[in-house]
Amino acid sequence: MNNKMTSAHIVIVGAGFAGINAAKQLGKYKEIQVTLLDKKNYHLFQPLLYQVAMAGLSPAEIASPIRSILAKCVNINVTLGNVTKINLQNQKVKTEFKEYKYDYLILACGATHSYFGKDEWEEFAPGLKSIEQATEIRRRVLTAFELAERESDPKKIREYLTFIVVGGGPTGVELAGSLSEMAHYTLNKEFKNIDLKSTSIILIEAGERILASFSPDLSEQAKKDLVSIGVTVKTGTRVSSIDSQGVHIGKEFIPSRTVIWAAGVQPSSTGALLGCELDRAGRVIVTPFLHLPEHKNVFVLGDQASVLGKDQRPLPGLAPVAIQQGIHTAKNIMRSCEGKELLAFSYFDKGQMATIGRGRAISEFSGYKAHGKIAWIAWLFIHILYLVGFRNKVFVFFQWLWSYITFGRGARLITKQEWKNHDN
Amino acid sequence: MNNKMTSAHIVIVGAGFAGINAAKQLGKYKEIQVTLLDKKNYHLFQPLLYQVAMAGLSPAEIASPIRSILAKCVNINVTLGNVTKINLQNQKVKTEFKEYKYDYLILACGATHSYFGKDEWEEFAPGLKSIEQATEIRRRVLTAFELAERESDPKKIREYLTFIVVGGGPTGVELAGSLSEMAHYTLNKEFKNIDLKSTSIILIEAGERILASFSPDLSEQAKKDLVSIGVTVKTGTRVSSIDSQGVHIGKEFIPSRTVIWAAGVQPSSTGALLGCELDRAGRVIVTPFLHLPEHKNVFVLGDQASVLGKDQRPLPGLAPVAIQQGIHTAKNIMRSCEGKELLAFSYFDKGQMATIGRGRAISEFSGYKAHGKIAWIAWLFIHILYLVGFRNKVFVFFQWLWSYITFGRGARLITKQEWKNHDN
């Protein structure tokens, strides 16, 4: 056995799709040591986060404790922590409590949302990248209906019942579709004073079409589906400002008390700690082997990285990309430990999917396109398949089954941020 | 039909056990109108709140949206709101958005915890009366283990692995037992650097024995059970102060980073809005008919009220008491509408139960006592029976089944209070 292997220490930062899959792969090799750092103690299945925001699922149904996932890997040390510094020369990673020396480093901290320089909009339009943001959106959405119900001023009722989603990618489409279903199927029988059919859901997209990463005919199908369930789709429309009263689109103003941001993504700022070249979007530029050009033992994966695909365009920030990169990198590291050549990463395109709502989805894979109920069932199946944790798979399956039959939603709670409360 | 009935407007404040059951009962009479006000949009099954705090259940599994529970009651208006003023003379209830005129008023706002005048302790020792507090406790407990795992200073590790529960009633006992199980069964295989067998869980009770409302032999059994699973029980011990470093008991100081408060209860402050006589604990004194002595159309129920039982002592703040009072009061109101005499409330004592942990519980009913596995199974059964919502019953059942088989816990997430977060 190569000497490099017996003492190799791999540090992985981030337990998202890339990090957790790299760890699971490396967990098979007892000879090496792995430290997995994350700011959170759980792995989050982000594709279903919008269902937490829309009160359909509970956070714990789409998240698994990292320790549980890797419990059987005796060579992996899972640690809660923030990376504050990376020293490429000395091969050290600093956290707020300790410094780690690494032989190999994997950075896979994902992305957060971007307000294109207008961070002050965040307060009025939360994004959807974390559980805390999802429950905050849930709180705002459910509260809007409650406030409308008790309001007497028709103008205010209109504002409470106007919901705006900014961003026409899969996240924005899924949010808009789900909001519409909530208003028209789930809540419609439970409010006595307001007519929920008058709920206005507006999806705003700056580009020419929503779901721009899909082929035009699928985009068009998705738009039709959204419109058929009561969503107003505004494409070629750029938001100029957002405040507590609503959204400005050039000269037009749409009064709304609930705005959700799904329009821009930026990579985690940990990438900047490397001091290496970043692309225009702030992602770390890596070689086809997924490591830094000057440091063959430092890998950057997932949404944080910029690597060219077969079409010479950067690979998209999708879960299958991150998963494959994680596994590939772990194998590459073992090859390096064994003194073998690294292999370039080749993305096996598993296509993409987006759901609009009950019985409606679009998907494309290798030129094969589908929409409607078939695509929707495939969407459900794929998401349960990739959800981590057997218990979560079972619970999410039953939640969806119950919701489908009853039109109900399993987590319609308005929970606040403050916990100190002397009165119930 | 009595004229009083056709126009009667009943206002219920609080959707806990008393309020929700009063509403469900009144929902059967289409002739009357009911307004149900609550600060939250859900009914919470408080007896299982400790399982949210101990990462076993998700909040949505023990809470149901009030609107869903009462969806079929066309005569009930469910409204999110705070009561700010009560005018007994004019029969009006004021909220932050509207004033309601009532023919009958039911106040059932429950209780919150009391720090016996030391409210500054709350920051260091959260109580357990709301979902927000439960997830805050969960965050502190899980984080303590994580911080111990990455700590190198043995003194600090000791502090992180010392948990203190103040208050030896059922809540405190259930928390302590569950904490112990978490450390010794659930987490023990997942931490590599710390030895979880060294976790110290201390239950502090000012009185002579824990579970003082049970008979002495059952208290003693519960204490033995707690000790057998590694809990240190300190009775006749009063906390003199709590800070960020730990707990002072007279001259003794126990360093701990995680303290949970389960020691004192005080009724909701809405009772004081009545301007009527309160007992020493702050509860509103009511007649055997559960209404105010001077106002026969104003009822106060549940933990907020003080009414004497058959033994001439105030009825305890238990769920079965509140449930029965809610139903009884609703029936009394209908009798009043029909011009009939009110009936005095007579509590059908359903006994009490407390669980210590896996396979261990105590229960007593009508002099019949049980402990161990039988009591535990009864405890599980009763709690599922009374949980509101079929979906919740099914999910909680499966959670418990899965936990029993795997020793796992279904909601081990550290979620923070702040949602604005530019970095994942």
Side-chain angles (χ1 to χ4, degrees):
Chain A
M1 191 188 303
N2 190 303
N3 272 344
K4 213 170 171 187
M5 194 186 307
T6 52
S7 58
H9 179 219
I10 297 115
V11 172
I12 305 174
V13 186
F17 285 116
I20 207 83
N21 282 282
K24 282 162 87 173
Q25 182 67 28
L26 289 170
K28 300 177 185 177
Y29 305 100
K30 307 284 178 283
E31 318 82 53
I32 48 137
Q33 280 298 309
V34 179
T35 298
L36 174 56
L37 293 160
D38 198 302
K39 289 199 289 190
K40 303 192 204 36
N41 75 324
Y42 54 86
H43 163 75
L44 176 65
F45 192 75
Q46 282 207 20
L48 289 181
L49 198 52
Y50 84 94
Q51 291 209 9
V52 173
M54 295 291 114
L57 294 176
S58 284
E61 283 162 342
I62 62 163
S64 292
I66 302 165
R67 290 187 186 286
S68 293
I69 298 172
L70 303 173
K72 294 197 168 74
C73 306
V74 297
N75 60 334
I76 301 186
N77 236 317
V78 177
T79 312
L80 191 78
N82 272 315
V83 166
T84 53
K85 239 181 192 166
I86 302 175
N87 187 325
L88 294 174
Q89 262 58 51
N90 299 343
Q91 293 184 186
K92 283 185 176 163
V93 165
K94 200 171 182 205
T95 62
E96 68 267 42
F97 53 93
K98 189 174 169 174
E99 200 172 52
Y100 293 91
K101 183 121 177 43
Y102 63 82
D103 295 298
Y104 299 89
L105 172 65
I106 298 177
L107 209 61
C109 305
T112 179
H113 39 272
S114 160
Y115 291 88
F116 305 121
K118 301 280 188 183
D119 288 351
E120 64 271 19
W121 292 354
E122 187 177 27
E123 186 186 341
F124 310 114
L128 187 64
K129 274 287 178 189
S130 70
I131 282 176
E132 290 83 357
Q133 285 160 357
T135 54
E136 172 61 14
I137 289 171
R138 179 181 75 184
R139 186 189 71 77
R140 292 182 185 209
V141 167
L142 295 179
T143 304
F145 288 108
E146 293 292 338
L147 296 180
E149 173 76 345
R150 76 186 199 193
E151 181 57 60
S152 45
D153 177 354
K155 182 170 165 293
K156 283 192 179 152
I157 293 176
R158 176 99 314 277
E159 288 168 20
Y160 286 132
L161 293 184
T162 300
F163 298 86
I164 298 177
V165 179
V166 184
T171 303
V173 166
E174 285 163 352
L175 281 166
S178 191
L179 255 170
S180 183
E181 282 193 352
M182 194 196 300
H184 297 123
Y185 291 115
T186 310
L187 303 181
N188 58 333
K189 294 193 186 73
E190 296 185 4
F191 286 80
K192 308 241 157 65
N193 302 332
I194 48 175
D195 177 14
L196 282 170
K197 282 196 283 294
S198 68
T199 306
S200 175
I201 296 148
I202 304 167
L203 178 63
I204 296 176
E205 165 58 38
E208 287 314 306
R209 57 188 176 96
I210 59 169
L211 298 170
S213 62
F214 288 77
S215 56
D217 49 345
L218 283 182
S219 281
E220 190 55 35
Q221 180 64 48
K223 183 177 175 182
K224 280 196 186 123
D225 287 338
L226 280 170
V227 169
S228 77
I229 60 172
V231 176
T232 304
V233 180
K234 288 182 180 288
T235 48
T237 305
R238 196 173 287 276
V239 165
S240 40
S241 85
I242 308 176
D243 58 37
S244 62
Q245 304 303 308
V247 168
H248 296 260
I249 304 169
K251 291 213 169 92
E252 189 191 347
F253 174 66
I254 311 176
S256 162
R257 301 300 185 100
T258 316
V259 182
I260 306 169
W261 185 263
V265 166
Q266 66 187 357
S268 162
S269 57
T270 47
L273 295 174
L274 294 167
C276 295
E277 193 189 354
L278 308 175
D279 74 358
R280 218 170 41 110
R283 293 177 296 191
V284 180
I285 295 175
V286 294
T287 68
F289 303 91
L290 303 177
H291 60 63
L292 297 179
E294 306 291 316
H295 299 271
K296 288 191 176 173
N297 62 341
V298 178
F299 300 84
V300 186
L301 314 178
D303 293 0
Q304 235 188 333
S306 179
V307 63
L308 300 180
K310 294 187 189 80
D311 56 3
Q312 293 309 301
R313 281 160 56 188
L315 289 174
L318 292 176
V321 175
I323 293 170
Q324 291 179 29
Q325 287 182 343
I327 297 169
H328 181 90
T329 299
K331 289 180 178 173
N332 254 353
I333 287 174
M334 294 317 296
R335 292 178 64 85
S336 171
C337 287
E338 291 164 11
K340 297 179 187 160
E341 288 289 312
L342 299 189
L343 295 175
F345 174 68
S346 175
Y347 174 50
F348 174 56
D349 195 334
K350 296 201 166 180
Q352 46 178 347
M353 320 175 97
T355 182
I356 290 87
R358 200 177 167 84
R360 296 178 179 87
I362 56 169
S363 78
E364 57 186 338
F365 168 63
S366 239
Y368 174 74
K369 300 173 204 168
H371 68 88
K373 251 203 167 79
I374 289 176
W376 184 63
I377 289 169
W379 184 94
L380 297 171
F381 177 74
I382 295 281
H383 282 71
I384 287 200
L385 190 69
Y386 277 90
L387 194 56
V388 176
F390 178 70
R391 192 201 70 99
N392 284 357
K393 291 186 208 280
V394 172
F395 274 68
V396 167
F397 173 76
F398 277 111
Q399 282 274 35
W400 286 352
L401 185 64
W402 177 79
S403 291
Y404 188 77
I405 294 168
T406 67
F407 291 92
R409 287 194 179 210
R412 277 173 49 199
L413 310 187
I414 297 174
T415 49
K416 294 179 298 198
Q417 301 305 311
E418 317 83 45
W419 62 268
K420 277 185 220 167
N421 190 359
H422 259 265
D423 238 86
N424 269 353
Chain B
M1 191 189 306
N2 189 301
N3 271 346
K4 216 172 168 183
M5 194 188 308
T6 51
S7 59
H9 179 218
I10 297 115
V11 172
I12 304 175
V13 186
F17 285 117
I20 207 82
N21 281 283
K24 281 163 87 171
Q25 182 68 27
L26 290 169
K28 300 177 185 177
Y29 305 98
K30 308 283 178 284
E31 322 82 57
I32 47 134
Q33 279 299 310
V34 179
T35 298
L36 174 56
L37 293 159
D38 197 303
K39 289 199 290 186
K40 303 194 208 23
N41 75 323
Y42 55 85
H43 163 76
L44 175 63
F45 192 77
Q46 281 207 21
L48 288 181
L49 198 51
Y50 83 94
Q51 291 208 10
V52 173
M54 294 293 113
L57 294 176
S58 284
E61 285 163 341
I62 63 164
S64 291
I66 302 164
R67 291 186 185 286
S68 292
I69 299 171
L70 303 174
K72 294 197 168 77
C73 305
V74 297
N75 60 333
I76 300 185
N77 235 318
V78 176
T79 311
L80 191 78
N82 272 315
V83 165
T84 53
K85 238 179 190 166
I86 302 175
N87 187 326
L88 295 174
Q89 260 60 47
N90 300 343
Q91 292 184 187
K92 284 187 175 160
V93 165
K94 198 165 183 218
T95 61
E96 68 267 41
F97 52 94
K98 190 174 169 176
E99 200 174 52
Y100 293 91
K101 183 124 177 42
Y102 63 83
D103 295 299
Y104 298 90
L105 173 64
I106 298 177
L107 209 61
C109 305
T112 180
H113 41 272
S114 161
Y115 290 88
F116 307 120
K118 301 280 187 181
D119 289 351
E120 63 272 19
W121 291 354
E122 185 178 28
E123 185 186 342
F124 310 115
L128 187 63
K129 275 287 180 187
S130 69
I131 283 178
E132 290 82 358
Q133 286 160 357
T135 53
E136 172 61 13
I137 290 172
R138 179 181 74 185
R139 186 189 71 77
R140 292 183 183 210
V141 166
L142 295 179
T143 304
F145 288 108
E146 293 292 338
L147 296 181
E149 173 77 345
R150 76 186 197 192
E151 181 58 56
S152 46
D153 179 355
K155 183 168 165 293
K156 284 192 179 150
I157 293 176
R158 178 97 312 276
E159 288 167 20
Y160 287 131
L161 293 184
T162 300
F163 299 85
I164 298 176
V165 179
V166 184
T171 303
V173 167
E174 285 163 351
L175 281 165
S178 191
L179 256 169
S180 182
E181 282 193 351
M182 193 196 301
H184 297 123
Y185 291 115
T186 310
L187 303 180
N188 58 334
K189 293 194 187 72
E190 296 186 5
F191 287 79
K192 308 243 157 64
N193 301 332
I194 49 175
D195 177 14
L196 284 168
K197 282 195 284 295
S198 68
T199 306
S200 176
I201 295 148
I202 304 166
L203 178 64
I204 296 176
E205 164 59 34
E208 286 314 304
R209 55 187 179 97
I210 59 170
L211 299 170
S213 62
F214 288 78
S215 58
D217 48 346
L218 283 181
S219 283
E220 191 54 35
Q221 182 63 50
K223 183 177 175 181
K224 281 194 182 122
D225 287 338
L226 280 170
V227 169
S228 77
I229 58 172
V231 176
T232 304
V233 180
K234 288 181 181 289
T235 48
T237 305
R238 195 173 289 276
V239 165
S240 37
S241 86
I242 309 177
D243 57 36
S244 61
Q245 303 304 308
V247 168
H248 296 259
I249 303 169
K251 292 212 170 92
E252 190 191 346
F253 174 68
I254 311 176
S256 162
R257 301 299 185 99
T258 316
V259 183
I260 305 170
W261 186 262
V265 165
Q266 64 187 359
S268 163
S269 58
T270 48
L273 294 175
L274 294 166
C276 294
E277 193 188 353
L278 307 175
D279 75 357
R280 221 171 39 114
R283 293 180 295 191
V284 180
I285 295 175
V286 294
T287 68
F289 303 91
L290 303 177
H291 60 64
L292 297 179
E294 306 292 314
H295 300 269
K296 288 189 174 175
N297 62 340
V298 178
F299 300 84
V300 186
L301 313 179
D303 294 1
Q304 237 188 328
S306 179
V307 62
L308 301 181
K310 295 188 190 78
D311 57 4
Q312 294 309 300
R313 282 160 54 186
L315 289 174
L318 293 177
V321 175
I323 293 169
Q324 290 179 31
Q325 288 181 340
I327 297 169
H328 181 91
T329 299
K331 290 180 176 171
N332 255 354
I333 287 173
M334 295 316 297
R335 293 178 65 83
S336 171
C337 285
E338 291 164 10
K340 297 179 187 159
E341 287 289 313
L342 298 189
L343 294 175
F345 174 69
S346 176
Y347 173 50
F348 175 56
D349 195 335
K350 296 202 165 177
Q352 46 178 346
M353 321 174 99
T355 183
I356 289 86
R358 202 180 167 82
R360 296 177 179 90
I362 57 170
S363 76
E364 55 187 339
F365 168 62
S366 240
Y368 174 74
K369 300 174 204 170
H371 69 86
K373 253 202 165 82
I374 289 175
W376 184 63
I377 288 169
W379 184 95
L380 296 172
F381 176 74
I382 296 282
H383 282 73
I384 287 202
L385 189 70
Y386 277 90
L387 192 58
V388 176
F390 178 71
R391 192 201 71 99
N392 284 358
K393 292 184 208 279
V394 173
F395 274 67
V396 167
F397 174 77
F398 277 112
Q399 282 274 35
W400 285 351
L401 186 65
W402 176 80
S403 293
Y404 188 78
I405 294 169
T406 67
F407 293 92
R409 286 187 181 217
R412 275 172 51 199
L413 311 186
I414 297 174
T415 48
K416 295 179 299 201
Q417 302 304 312
E418 315 83 45
W419 63 268
K420 278 185 220 166
N421 188 1
H422 260 269
D423 237 87
N424 268 351

